[in-house]
Amino acid sequence: MPADTPLLSTVLHSEADTARLARRVAPMLRPGDVILLEGPIGAGKSLFARALIQSLLTTPEDVPSPTFTLVQTYATPDFEIWHADLYRLGSPDEVIELGLIDAFDTGVCLIEWPDRLGEMTPENAVTLRLSHGDQPDDRQLTVFATDPRWQALAKEVQPHV
Amino acid sequence: MAVMKHETLTVLGIESSCDDTAAAVVRLAPDGRAQILSSVVAGQTELHAAFGGVVPELAARAHAEKLDLCVETALQQAELDLRALDAIAVTAGPGLIGGVLSGVMCAKGLAAGSGLPLVGVNHLAGHALTPRLTDGLEFPHLMLLVSGGHCQFLRVDGPQDFTRLGGTIDDAPGEAFDKTARLLGLDQPGGPAVQREAASGDEKRFAFPRPLLDRPGCDMSFSGLKTALLRARDAVVTEKGGLTRQDRADLCAGFQAAVRDVLMEKTRRALAGFAGPIAAQPTLAVAGGVAANTAIRAGLETLCTDLGVRFLAPPLALCTDNAAMIAWAGIERFRMGARDDMTLSARPRWPLDERSPALLGSGKKGAKA
């Protein structure tokens, strides 16, 4: 569960801002990292994931929405990326059927609608909460995590957002 | 290519790669005509409304039970038993991990028990070859596959010869319809609900974008449309304190018109790239649930009439996910000599056109099933 105090809170002013942040986070990731992407439809969850994934791929690939397929995986030189949209899940047990539990340990996971994980939410995960801001293109980004690894990462990212 | 012409072929098809589980028996007569002897789909539509989205079946055991029941019913309705079959065709991908795996395991079990040959089929090939099942269409043709999870233009030159001309780079239109319904508090599945509302709406009131029309080629993007819709909705809510029925109808109509216009323009481009030197009478065939949307279909029909292109839309039951198309694709592959064995594996990702540059990734590992 996210700690109460955010590690980072900032406003992203455009889709380009969101994509830029994703590309900054990407090279810092390593196997076992889990990013939970919270926020309503149209907040930019998939946009963030797409920019992050595409920046790590050695050969360009489409990164389609995982809403229908639930999970899309991508091979990078160092690890496999799992991009999941759990909106359509009926129960947390189905997280196991999807093979996500193993992926939490071995891959890098980007999870949309992570509330469906329930008790299976990994403790070391970082939560990126995106919400609509004052201006139409603004997105409020709030980052929560308990694992100290993400504090260092937030510090690294902060001056650039 | 070893095409055997004068032979009756009867094939059982099994499909469980998406949200539905299905089985069907299709027979190809010596005169070349195909007949669907049975087609059973165990859907889950009745469950959708409660969740605001389509709920996929992930549990392998539930899949296996449903598959057994579907196969049994399909054989019963065809009044055949396994011994009367020539082969078993099964969707080996792409699709939901657990579903594909369960279908392949079921087909392997049946093949091992009966000694029948096994033919693995690409789900998208099933859609792309359906106009040959329903209308005996000759190669080549242009296919627009537009559904909940897919949106692409395919040039179909043979049972195993597909060229992807373009597709969505983010959301599929069916998904955009579902999300629009979610944003406007309409029932799921979103396609029929949005279409119903749009019928009484003014498509010109909200100026929604037509994404990627400024870029050459046949690629499409529908993700930005939902953001535009959200913005328009919130502007009305801020102004009036809520949405009237008419506001909602106008939003639906504007959204639907945007999807229609994008699909029409990209289809026009795909046809221009496709027709050229090839077909004297080019044909556009459509498949997928979104092709059932009346506004979109009317737009595509108008376009085809204007361009002198034949427009072909198989009956809805064969446009959406079903197993008859898998049995038929199995027959087409079988006639070309394709046989799979117990090493047939599930491929959650399986692009039809392995030559195209931008494709879904690879290296999917097996599921827990």
Side-chain angles (χ1 to χ4, degrees):
Chain A
M1 293 303 289
D4 293 325
T5 320
L7 291 181
L8 177 65
S9 184
T10 187
V11 177
L12 303 163
H13 293 291
S14 63
E15 290 189 356
D17 270 6
T18 304
R20 201 173 304 125
L21 174 72
R23 287 193 294 269
R24 281 204 55 77
V25 172
M28 305 173 193
L29 297 175
R30 60 189 194 206
D33 283 344
V34 179
I35 298 179
L36 309 177
L37 293 161
E38 292 185 357
I41 293 180
K45 304 182 294 296
S46 290
L47 186 97
F48 179 92
R50 185 171 297 119
L52 189 153
I53 293 164
Q54 280 173 338
S55 75
L56 290 175
L57 293 175
T58 44
T59 42
E61 283 178 45
D62 283 346
V63 177
S65 160
T67 301
F68 185 76
T69 54
L70 306 180
V71 177
Q72 304 274 3
T73 59
Y74 303 87
T76 75
D78 300 321
F79 45 75
E80 193 170 56
I81 305 174
W82 285 53
H83 181 200
D85 180 339
L86 306 184
Y87 184 84
R88 304 199 305 143
L89 286 199
S91 80
D93 293 349
E94 294 180 336
V95 172
I96 302 168
E97 299 274 354
L98 272 181
L100 265 181
I101 304 297
D102 283 349
F104 286 157
D105 292 333
T106 59
V108 165
C109 295
L110 303 165
I111 313 287
E112 301 188 35
W113 300 96
D115 57 311
R116 308 294 198 270
L117 288 171
E119 290 175 357
M120 277 176 255
T121 307
E123 283 183 9
N124 65 335
V126 62
T127 297
L128 269 57
R129 188 174 296 158
L130 288 158
S131 57
H132 295 274
D134 297 334
Q135 297 300 313
D137 287 332
D138 282 0
R139 297 291 184 273
Q140 178 68 45
L141 169 73
T142 325
V143 180
F144 300 93
T146 48
D147 191 315
R149 158 160 170 69
W150 298 109
Q151 290 172 13
L153 204 141
K155 219 172 271 173
E156 179 77 17
V157 167
Q158 187 139 34
H160 301 276
V161 292
Chain B
M1 139 178 111
V3 177
M4 294 162 279
K5 272 193 176 132
H6 306 286
E7 190 188 0
T8 299
L9 281 177
T10 311
V11 170
L12 169 72
I14 296 171
E15 155 67 44
S16 60
S17 65
C18 300
D19 293 329
D20 296 320
T21 303
V25 180
V26 173
R27 174 170 286 165
L28 177 70
D31 65 2
R33 253 186 277 187
Q35 194 190 355
I36 299 171
L37 302 181
S38 64
S39 183
V40 181
V41 180
Q44 302 177 308
T45 315
E46 64 278 7
L47 298 173
H48 297 171
F51 292 91
V54 179
V55 180
E57 180 62 78
L58 290 178
R61 198 181 56 193
H63 258 300
E65 284 168 8
K66 251 193 230 174
L67 279 163
D68 286 349
L69 190 65
C70 280
V71 168
E72 203 181 307
T73 313
L75 288 171
Q76 261 170 21
Q77 289 183 4
E79 297 179 4
L80 294 174
D81 63 26
L82 282 172
R83 281 168 302 180
L85 299 174
D86 293 295
I88 294 168
V90 61
T91 304
L96 295 172
I97 303 158
V100 179
L101 211 56
S102 303
V104 168
M105 279 161 58
C106 171
K108 280 185 185 173
L110 290 169
S114 61
L116 287 168
L118 188 64
V119 182
V121 168
N122 183 307
H123 174 85
L124 302 173
H127 280 301
L129 297 172
T130 296
R132 291 168 52 75
L133 165 67
T134 56
D135 295 81
L137 189 62
E138 298 287 329
F139 297 119
H141 62 268
L142 179 70
M143 163 65 60
L144 167 59
L145 174 59
V146 57
S147 66
H150 299 286
C151 182
Q152 53 185 308
F153 291 106
L154 291 165
R155 196 193 131 112
V156 185
D157 283 292
Q160 302 183 104
D161 189 358
F162 306 93
T163 311
R164 187 180 186 270
L165 302 177
T168 183
I169 60 168
D170 42 49
D171 299 358
E175 177 184 342
F177 269 94
D178 280 348
K179 286 183 175 170
T180 294
R182 262 157 73 179
L183 290 170
L184 297 177
L186 297 168
D187 290 343
Q188 296 287 333
V194 170
Q195 174 176 313
R196 203 166 45 242
E197 291 297 313
S200 54
D202 171 11
E203 68 172 56
K204 294 203 164 30
R205 177 172 161 203
F206 297 100
F208 290 129
R210 272 43 173 174
L212 293 196
L213 283 198
D214 54 338
R215 256 199 253 172
C218 302
D219 279 342
M220 290 167 275
S221 162
F222 295 99
S223 172
L225 264 182
K226 72 186 177 231
T227 314
L229 180 102
L230 197 63
R231 209 172 279 175
R233 181 200 72 177
D234 290 348
V236 175
V237 171
T238 306
E239 187 193 334
K240 299 187 190 172
L243 283 185
T244 65
R245 183 86 202 245
Q246 190 59 48
D247 292 332
R248 198 164 69 175
D250 293 344
L251 286 165
C252 286
F255 163 81
Q256 184 176 270
V259 175
R260 177 201 63 205
D261 288 354
V262 170
L263 286 172
M264 281 175 72
E265 174 55 24
K266 295 293 179 172
T267 302
R268 196 185 60 73
R269 293 183 198 178
L271 279 166
F274 164 80
I278 312 140
Q281 169 62 11
T283 301
L284 171 72
V286 293
V290 179
N293 178 285
T294 48
I296 290 169
R297 182 178 291 216
L300 293 172
E301 277 181 294
T302 305
L303 176 80
C304 286
T305 307
D306 291 349
L307 295 174
V309 168
R310 182 181 175 202
F311 178 81
L312 207 160
L316 182 59
L318 295 172
C319 265
T320 52
D321 292 340
N322 67 88
M325 68 178 191
I326 301 306
W328 172 254
I331 287 174
E332 295 239 43
R333 289 203 67 215
F334 188 84
R335 290 172 79 203
M336 293 182 74
R339 304 288 186 276
D340 287 298
D341 56 23
M342 291 300 145
T343 63
L344 175 68
S345 57
R347 297 179 64 180
R349 309 183 134 207
W350 185 5
L352 255 189
D353 175 3
E354 317 230 7
R355 295 159 300 195
S356 284
L359 293 169
L360 304 187
S362 54
K364 177 75 208 75
K365 67 172 109 182
K368 308 267 164 185

